[in-house]
Amino acid sequence: MLKISGVIIGVVVVLLVLSNFLITKTFYTEVKINESPSVVWSFLVDKATYSKWNVILTPTESGEIREGEKVNYLMNYNNSESNFSAKIAKVIENQELNQRGGFFGLLTYDHKYLLKPTEKANETLLIQTEIDRGIGLLFWNSDLVEDAYKKSSENLKRLIEQGGR
């Protein structure tokens, strides 16, 4: 009996590892904001303003967004709320904010905000990109994610260009 249990556990582990590499979904949005990357960045790292522009996430605690830190969020997705944490994996001021989390093999995410100056003075291309991985993607309808990121980016653009905080 122990041998069979060990085999079953081994098969499950192998399936979870494989699913993390074979089952993926990528989301991508971009918007041009009529402001410098440093101004756009100041909004991205100001957790107090998230509720004014982010249609999915609201940080549930104060503090700074710094590399290596954990941020707790309240996620409002598809008319349901849940709490989750993200690890700040990479911070390059005025250029990139990378957050990761989830459960390896089941469902992980690698979300990035990328800020790129354009050829136009004081204009920033804001890119949101995310790669989700894992077997959970087979059971989760993620169709609304890209639309929510697009709305969030457009809300952020409107907030910044109207001079709001």
Side-chain angles (χ1 to χ4, degrees):
M1 187 58 103
L2 283 177
K3 226 179 205 183
I4 293 173
S5 296
V7 169
I8 291 171
I9 291 171
V11 167
V12 168
V13 168
V14 167
L15 288 174
L16 288 175
V17 169
L18 285 176
S19 74
N20 198 61
F21 296 104
L22 298 176
I23 304 171
T24 65
K25 188 159 186 179
T26 301
F27 306 99
Y28 180 93
T29 66
E30 64 179 51
V31 65
K32 289 182 179 176
I33 299 175
N34 293 315
E35 196 50 84
S36 68
S38 63
V39 170
V40 176
W41 180 261
S42 72
F43 280 81
L44 285 179
V45 296
D46 180 8
K47 292 193 287 186
T49 65
Y50 268 60
S51 63
K52 294 180 181 179
W53 60 269
N54 198 313
V55 299
I56 297 177
L57 301 176
T58 305
T60 59
E61 59 197 36
S62 60
E64 292 184 43
I65 293 179
R66 286 185 292 212
E67 199 166 306
E69 295 290 321
K70 183 174 88 169
V71 178
N72 295 313
Y73 290 101
L74 175 63
M75 179 171 60
N76 186 340
Y77 175 79
N78 206 14
N79 294 319
S80 68
E81 290 185 343
S82 60
N83 291 297
F84 80 100
S85 297
K87 181 176 181 181
I88 307 298
K90 188 174 186 180
V91 174
I92 302 174
E93 189 172 347
N94 303 328
Q95 294 178 36
E96 180 179 346
L97 174 59
N98 179 210
Q99 302 180 79
R100 296 181 187 151
F103 300 99
F104 182 82
L106 296 176
L107 183 61
T108 61
Y109 60 90
D110 185 353
H111 181 268
K112 295 178 183 176
Y113 292 100
L114 302 170
L115 284 66
K116 301 186 180 288
T118 69
E119 63 284 343
K120 190 175 166 186
N122 286 325
E123 183 179 70
T124 302
L125 179 64
L126 171 65
I127 298 169
Q128 281 196 70
T129 183
E130 181 172 296
I131 300 173
D132 292 352
R133 299 176 184 276
I135 201 163
L137 287 170
L138 299 176
F139 307 100
W140 173 51
N141 181 0
S142 61
D143 292 343
L144 298 175
V145 172
E146 197 162 79
D147 286 338
Y149 288 161
K150 183 176 181 179
K151 284 179 188 172
S152 292
S153 293
E154 290 169 353
N155 288 347
L156 183 59
K157 170 186 173 72
R158 196 169 22 262
L159 181 66
I160 291 171
E161 290 179 356
Q162 292 174 356
R165 274 254 188 230

